Amino acid sequence: MKIGDKVSISPQVTDRTDWIEGTIIEIEKNPYAGIVITAKSADGEVFFEKEDLFRPLGEEACTH
């Protein structure tokens, strides 16, 4: 994943019922938490958390 990529953001991060779409605006290599992704949703909210709570857009529909 890189800045500008579209991602799905976990409900665990957003406190919503479903995964939502966002765009990566920052990637941080945190020495304690590992890779931390910051993404902005279409409605302008910004969310950040460990990278495992973000999926490249379309990955959840992949059947391979």
Side-chain angles (χ1 to χ4, degrees), residues 2-9 13-14 16 20-27 37-49 54 57:
K2 62 187 183 308
I3 292 175
D5 283 356
K6 299 285 186 189
V7 291
S8 292
I9 308 169
V13 177
T14 64
R16 299 183 186 182
I20 65 167
E21 184 179 328
T23 303
I24 296 176
I25 59 172
E26 184 179 348
I27 299 173
I37 303 287
T38 302
K40 188 174 190 177
S41 67
D43 60 6
E45 286 189 83
V46 175
F47 301 97
F48 62 94
E49 189 54 78
F54 296 84
L57 198 59

Side-chain angles (χ1 to χ4, degrees), residues 26-37 50-51:
E26 184 179 348
I27 299 173
E28 174 191 352
K29 292 181 181 170
N30 184 295
Y32 303 103
I35 306 270
V36 175
I37 303 287
K50 294 179 187 177
E51 71 176 331

